[in-house]
Amino acid sequence: MRTLTSYISRFLLILIFFSAVSLANAAAKPGGRLIVIRVANFGWNLAANLKIDGQTVANIVQGRRYDHRIPAGRHVLTISAVPNVQLSQPTSITVNVRPGGTYIFTALWDSDQVYLRPTTLSPAEMAKLGL
């Protein structure tokens, strides 16, 4: 019985050690907050497909937004409409994320092209949107 207790104690100590290392690594790589808002007139039957560095992270539908933390550094945001019935090309914008920064973009239509526009909101407007 004593041997079983010894093994369990060692296992718990190893688990605590790896948890501490994981937390230290997460704290060592601070990131920023990325928010992508989809305009109301985007289209009721369309979603805004958002890719970060070539990987799809969200299809933003009517009444929703993308609001997540991303690692610090340079990232390419790409937006397109889905379904893409007009066969328009996706557009991209580069953002340099700094630790603790908040980056807000709006997904818009213009001349049959979907694009992201950096948005500057006042603190009152951010509060109104619940950001």
Side-chain angles (χ1 to χ4, degrees), residues 4 14 25-26 40 63 76 79 88 96 98 131:
L4 179 62
I14 291 170
N25 286 340
V76 177
I79 194 84
S88 60
N96 189 17
R98 294 193 175 136
L131 303 177

Side-chain angles (χ1 to χ4, degrees), residues 2-113:
R2 185 176 177 109
T3 306
L4 179 62
T5 306
S6 175
Y7 283 124
I8 291 173
S9 297
R10 288 180 187 167
F11 175 75
L12 288 175
L13 285 173
I14 291 170
L15 183 66
I16 290 170
F17 173 76
F18 282 113
S19 297
V21 169
S22 296
L23 286 174
N25 286 340
K29 299 177 184 175
R33 183 178 178 193
L34 175 66
I35 301 169
V36 178
I37 302 167
R38 179 186 176 271
V39 293
N41 65 353
F42 194 87
W44 68 270
N45 59 345
L46 295 174
N49 176 262
L50 176 65
K51 292 182 180 182
I52 300 176
D53 300 328
Q55 298 292 320
T56 297
V57 294
N59 284 320
I60 309 166
V61 297
Q62 189 173 12
R64 301 288 183 189
R65 67 175 176 241
Y66 178 83
D67 186 350
H68 291 279
R69 299 199 59 79
I70 64 172
R74 184 180 170 116
H75 298 283
V76 177
L77 309 179
T78 304
I79 194 84
S80 62
V82 288
N84 189 358
V85 293
Q86 295 180 344
L87 302 176
S88 60
Q89 293 295 315
T91 59
S92 298
I93 189 169
T94 302
V95 60
N96 189 17
V97 177
R98 294 193 175 136
T102 299
Y103 303 86
I104 304 171
F105 293 87
T106 304
L108 301 164
W109 276 101
D110 185 26
S111 303
D112 296 330
Q113 190 77 27

